[in-house]
Structure formats: C-alpha cells, structure tokens
Amino acid sequence: MFLHALGDIYSAEKAAIKALRNLAQAASLPGLQAALTAHRDETKAQVQRIENVFEMFDTKPKSITCKAISGIVDEGEAILAEFGDTDASDAAVIFVAQAIEHYEINRFGALREWAQDLGRPDAARLLAEMLDAEYSADQMLTKIAEDQANAIAEGARPTSR
C-alpha cells in the first residue's frame, strides 16, 4: 500500500506542476502569481524527493495515475472558465490551488506515518519535509485570500449569468 500511495502522489505532483503553472497564469494578483510560481518550482523538487523515497525502498519510481488529482484539475478548469473573467478570478484560483494542496497534505501525511511505521525514519523525514511544504503553501494561499482576493471577489458574478 505504501508504494501504491507513493506512486499516486508521484503522479499527482507531476500533474500539480502543470496545474500550478496554469493557475499562476490565470492569477491577476502579482503576489499570487509569484507564490504559485514559487510553489510550482518547489513541487518540481518534490518529484525528485519522491524518487529518492522510492530508491530508499529499492524500487524504481512508478507513477500510478491519480484520478483524484485529475478530477480536481478538471473541476478547477470549470471553475476558472466560469469565474476567470470576473472579480472572483483570484479567489477561484486560490480555491482550486487549495484543493490540490489539501489532497497533497492528505497523501504526504499518510505516507509519512506509514514510513515511520515501516521503520524508515529516513523516508519519514523526507515525507515530513514535503508535508511541511504543502502546509506552508496552503497557509500562504489562505493569507492572500484573506488579505486581498476574497475582498475583491465580494459580489462577483459568474460569467455565464
């Protein structure tokens, strides 16, 4: 199960790189664009760390198609299509980005615990670093939402109305 879940998050992180690039392009707040771009770059490093965890278990890295992240990305595209040309665009970007972050938090948290249970503190340490990065990204997105995006979005209407 550990290796299956690791393959799932490996696939999810690769998909997140593309999604974060698209979200950064859709963002209009410069701070949000910069934060998403920085987290995209951090996610690229996460992929390498996941490969390192595979190696710690004497296994070649293997992606297992992550249907959950595909669904989150598809839903995100629909949300951005509806709200991307409104004052709610940055709030929508944050909403989608946080859905990705929360999925990653769930997976890295479980993997960290399992690595610890498997007697692999080295892997648990790497997974904890990745989990911390996801928590930080989530907190940063919340701050941007609370400080700017939500106030701008107040009263925005979807473009389909």
Side-chain angles (χ1 to χ4, degrees), residues 52-116:
N52 292 344
V53 174
F54 272 113
E55 290 172 14
M56 290 174 183
F57 285 85
D58 297 320
T59 303
K60 288 184 179 181
K62 180 183 176 188
S63 282
I64 295 175
T65 302
C66 181
K67 293 179 183 177
I69 207 74
S70 296
I72 291 169
V73 169
D74 289 348
E75 180 183 39
E77 289 172 359
I79 290 167
L80 292 177
E82 185 171 359
F83 291 96
D85 292 328
T86 72
D87 288 341
S89 64
D90 287 316
V93 165
I94 292 168
F95 182 73
V96 173
Q98 284 190 303
I100 294 168
E101 295 311 313
H102 292 178
Y103 180 79
E104 293 168 331
I105 287 167
N106 170 277
R107 291 305 191 243
F108 284 126
L111 283 162
R112 179 199 60 202
E113 291 304 311
W114 289 344
Q116 196 67 40

